[in-house]
């Protein structure tokens, strides 16, 4: 057998592993989003799914991680009846995962330590800030443009979602920080 054949098989195995892990992370993200729901005054809910959104990006990388995070979260909205949020959730959660991945990777290169927990926490926080900003902007659009309200009314109404999304983000950061070392070893 030639070296080329061995390399092709190795690449096929790696791709198959990524696809399987992406499907698994997508399912875990969906279930994690749906299983525990704390309702908020904005008609949404706080859930632990954001931890798995972050983990998707951190473990699977920008392409597969964003797909797993976006699809898993969007499926949860679809199954849960939050139809208007499905496209926004797909994009926002994918961007959350991508942000966490690139910040984490950049910080690990910049700050070389044996324990990457500080870099993980910073990357997760920045990823979750993308989520908070993304939903804030989407809700402005949804409330102001789609409901034919004024822009200022949309901004004011959208402000109500910031605190619940920040709380959700904090839980996501904690879950990702606790589970990352374990899941990273399992996925290696």
């Amino acid at each position: 057998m030639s070296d080329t054949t061995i390399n092709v098989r190795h690449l096929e195995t790696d791709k198959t592993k990524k696809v399987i892990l992406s499907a698994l992370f997508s399912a875990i993200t969906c279930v994690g989003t749906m299983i525990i729901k704390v309702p908020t005054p904005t008609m949404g809910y706080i859930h632990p799914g954001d931890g798995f959104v972050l983990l998707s990006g951190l473990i699977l990388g920008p392409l597969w991680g964003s797909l797993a995070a976006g699809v898993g979260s969007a499926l949860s909205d679809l199954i849960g009846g939050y139809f208007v949020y499905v496209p926004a959730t797909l994009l926002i959660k994918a961007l959350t995962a991508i942000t966490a991945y690139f910040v984490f990777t950049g910080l690990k290169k910049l700050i070389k330590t044996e324990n990457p927990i500080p870099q993980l926490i910073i990357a997760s926080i920045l990823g979750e800030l993308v989520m908070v900003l993304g939903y804030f902007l989407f809700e402005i659009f949804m409330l102001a443009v789609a409901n034919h309200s004024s822009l200022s009314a949309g901004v004011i109404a959208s402000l109500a979602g910031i605190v619940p999304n920040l709380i959700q983000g904090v839980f996501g950061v904690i879950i990702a920080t606790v589970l990352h070392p374990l899941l990273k070893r399992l996925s290696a």
Side-chain angles (χ1 to χ4, degrees), residues 100 103-104 107 111 117-128 173:
V103 171
F104 184 60
L107 287 175
I111 306 166
I117 296 295
Q119 296 94 318
L120 178 65
I121 291 171
I122 293 167
S124 297
I125 289 170
L126 291 176
E128 290 300 328
V173 170

Side-chain angles (χ1 to χ4, degrees), residues 118-172:
Q119 296 94 318
L120 178 65
I121 291 171
I122 293 167
S124 297
I125 289 170
L126 291 176
E128 290 300 328
L129 288 175
V130 166
M131 180 270 296
V132 172
L133 178 64
Y135 280 115
F136 177 69
L137 294 174
F138 174 72
E139 288 169 359
I140 290 172
F141 169 78
M142 189 174 70
L143 294 168
V145 176
N147 290 338
H148 305 292
S149 300
S150 70
L151 184 61
S152 60
V155 170
I156 291 168
S158 297
L159 288 171
I162 290 178
V163 171
N165 283 337
L166 285 172
I167 293 168
Q168 178 175 300
V170 167
F171 284 109

Side-chain angles (χ1 to χ4, degrees), residues 4 13 31 41-42 68 74 82 89 94 98 107 115 119 127 161 164 187:
T4 307
T13 303
V31 170
T42 61
Y82 293 88
T89 293
I98 288 171
L107 287 175
N115 184 359
Q119 296 94 318
S187 70

